[in-house]
Amino acid sequence: MIFLRADIERRELQTLAPYAAKSAESRGRDFPEPEDFLRTCFQRDRDRIIHSKSFRRLKGKTQVFVAHYGDHYRSRLAHSMEVAQLSRDMARALGLNEDLAETIGLAHDLGHTPFGHAGQEALNDCLAKHGLGFEHNEQSRRVVTLLEQKKPDYPGLNLSFEVLDGMMKHRESGEASAFSGTFKPSLEAQLVDLSDKIAYLNHDIDDGIRARILSSETLDTLFLWRKAKENVRADLSHPHFVSAMISSLITLMIKDLLENTNRLITERKIESVDQVYKTKESLVAFSDGFAAEVRLLKGFLYDRFYNSPGILEYNNRGQQVIRFLFEELIKKPSLIPEKFSASGEAVVIQVKDHIASMTDDYAMDLYDKLHWKAFSRSEI
Ligand code: MG
């Protein structure tokens, strides 16, 4: 038997929840294209993202630790894959569209700068002097609608409306999106938002313990960590204790999220995608009590991990690199690759696009080259 696109579309209509986004009912692409024989529009978008250069560069972008810190720390690529995996699993459990959730998960960090959030802050500060700012969701959308080139016929990857809408995920409650006119994106997109949180909280604990910045004993102050321990049979001295704990913690979070989301959908009597778009509150959410514990965990990570001296040292170094590159490229726009200058936008925008696209290594190498040149010139 062979199942082609039309079969998959039919199956979605028959088996997915009424409030799931169906590929056959997509609002389509900016530049109309004939449908693929094999894949639904969302599956095709996923493949376009995986084949893009921005996606491959995620492997060289910092999550928390810079790329060369060690083999087992998460890069932004590993993070994106974990987000996609969690999104897919939970979408399946909720009767949502797995392909759409996976696609948004893989794409959600495409616009991220090198050097993680520190890099993003530095670029934002540089742009503020020009009356601009940096927002990584907006940049991710810019990557897929403009900077990535797939075909000569149109700019960007020409993704489906639902994928683009899902990539603009941080939407203030009570305000309709200027892009889609909806209050909230699909449930699949809302699910990716929470999968992002579950992924980073857990892998950052794992990486923090690996780096010996965090320890299981200090995490014991947190209710969620103690709760996760109840389901782990190994003790602290076991070599796989930490992985078992992370797995148990992820399970706790998934269970609460699935149950509470299902409750919200039922209570609000959500029966269609349109109703999801018109609802101002998030329908994918942890229960109130659990959300409060998750906030405590997040606060703990900020205090003990993201703002720990070792991490701050790397952050400062990354920020220095970005500030220097920004000033140098503004002064010498001829150094900006044609890919970015071809947009014909103001130099400051070209510099933003160029820096945001860099991997940590690329930025460091360019910094070394330009720094050395600037230094040797001043010596002469
Ligand atoms: Mg993320």
Side-chain angles (χ1 to χ4, degrees):
M1 269 175 115
I2 297 179
F3 294 101
L4 300 177
R5 174 185 51 81
D7 304 306
I8 305 171
E9 286 179 351
R10 208 172 309 122
R11 196 162 58 198
E12 281 184 3
L13 290 166
Q14 287 162 358
T15 60
L16 294 186
Y19 35 78
K22 322 287 190 307
S23 51
E25 294 169 355
S26 166
R27 292 196 197 175
R29 306 173 187 278
D30 279 349
F31 303 89
E33 292 179 69
E35 292 294 341
D36 189 49
F37 79 104
L38 180 65
R39 300 160 300 168
T40 68
C41 55
F42 302 143
Q43 292 173 332
R44 201 178 189 189
D45 288 355
R46 174 202 55 208
D47 299 350
R48 288 182 181 186
I49 285 155
I50 289 179
H51 288 272
S52 71
K53 291 195 280 296
S54 318
F55 185 72
R56 294 201 287 281
R57 286 199 302 269
L58 292 176
K59 81 169 192 298
K61 294 193 183 201
T62 291
Q63 179 62 30
V64 174
F65 291 97
V66 292
H68 289 307
Y69 199 88
D71 285 347
H72 297 141
Y73 295 100
R74 267 75 169 187
S75 65
R76 208 155 277 281
L77 179 65
H79 163 71
S80 300
M81 293 177 75
E82 290 184 24
V83 173
Q85 170 254 314
L86 283 165
S87 305
R88 221 174 43 216
D89 287 349
M90 291 196 283
R92 190 184 306 131
L94 290 167
L96 300 176
N97 195 313
E98 281 180 58
D99 296 322
L100 176 60
E102 177 185 26
T103 305
I104 300 170
L106 291 172
H108 86 285
D109 269 352
L110 284 179
H112 233 294
T113 61
F115 310 115
H117 284 278
Q120 184 174 312
E121 275 169 33
L123 189 52
N124 190 51
D125 292 347
C126 295
L127 288 162
K129 289 176 195 146
H130 298 261
L132 299 165
F134 186 82
E135 206 278 304
H136 87 260
N137 293 314
E138 177 51 37
Q139 190 67 19
S140 298
R141 210 169 83 79
R142 195 168 160 77
V143 166
V144 298
T145 53
L146 184 73
L147 299 171
E148 277 292 338
Q149 287 292 328
K150 175 168 172 62
K151 291 185 177 169
D153 328 0
Y154 49 73
L157 301 177
N158 198 26
L159 302 176
S160 312
F161 164 86
E162 291 75 10
V163 175
L164 289 177
D165 189 35
M167 290 172 71
M168 302 292 295
K169 55 194 165 143
H170 299 292
R171 205 168 292 171
E172 287 304 314
S173 189
E175 240 179 85
S177 147
F179 169 69
S180 60
T182 63
F183 288 107
K184 285 282 168 189
S186 64
L187 288 170
E188 287 80 357
Q190 296 185 38
L191 190 57
V192 174
D193 226 358
L194 271 293
S195 298
D196 188 17
K197 193 174 230 173
I198 296 178
Y200 79 71
L201 289 172
N202 283 283
H203 63 50
D204 288 352
I205 293 175
D206 190 31
D207 283 353
I209 293 177
R210 178 169 293 106
R212 297 178 198 281
I213 297 173
L214 298 175
S215 70
S216 179
E217 290 91 334
T218 49
L219 281 154
D220 273 341
T221 54
L222 295 163
F223 170 78
L224 285 182
W225 188 256
R226 296 196 304 272
K227 184 86 187 142
K229 224 181 215 176
E230 289 172 11
N231 301 318
V232 172
R233 264 176 286 155
D235 65 18
L236 197 57
S237 60
H238 195 282
H240 303 308
F241 173 76
V242 176
S243 358
M245 281 297 293
I246 298 296
S247 171
S248 170
L249 188 55
I250 292 177
T251 305
L252 278 185
M253 291 185 180
I254 289 177
K255 276 187 181 161
D256 183 85
L257 190 69
L258 290 179
E259 278 162 21
N260 193 59
T261 299
N262 190 45
R263 184 181 65 80
L264 291 172
I265 291 171
T266 314
E267 277 179 14
R268 308 262 161 111
K269 300 187 172 51
I270 302 293
E271 274 155 18
S272 69
V273 182
D274 263 349
Q275 257 181 294
V276 174
Y277 287 148
K278 285 178 189 152
T279 304
K280 290 188 180 179
E281 301 80 33
S282 295
L283 292 164
V284 179
F286 292 121
S287 62
D288 290 347
F290 199 91
E293 297 299 336
V294 170
R295 276 195 296 278
L296 286 176
L297 170 58
K298 191 174 164 183
F300 176 93
L301 284 176
Y302 270 90
D303 292 346
R304 308 288 186 97
F305 184 41
Y306 305 134
N307 290 321
S308 62
I311 299 295
L312 286 181
E313 196 185 313
Y314 278 110
N315 288 353
N316 290 339
R317 172 83 179 133
Q319 293 194 326
Q320 241 177 26
V321 169
I322 288 199
R323 283 194 202 103
F324 176 82
L325 289 180
F326 188 88
E327 296 308 326
E328 285 295 299
L329 290 167
I330 291 279
K331 276 189 268 171
K332 300 175 196 124
S334 60
L335 293 171
I336 302 168
E338 204 197 327
K339 180 183 174 192
F340 304 104
S341 58
S343 67
E345 303 235 34
V347 169
V348 62
I349 302 286
Q350 297 174 22
V351 170
K352 176 198 72 161
D353 288 341
H354 184 27
I355 291 181
S357 81
M358 293 176 186
T359 60
D360 295 4
D361 274 354
Y362 185 104
M364 295 288 254
D365 286 351
L366 189 60
Y367 174 87
D368 284 345
K369 266 185 225 157
L370 297 179
H371 206 257
W372 184 81
K373 269 191 195 160
F375 177 74
S376 56
R377 256 200 319 276
S378 63
E379 287 292 282
I380 292 167

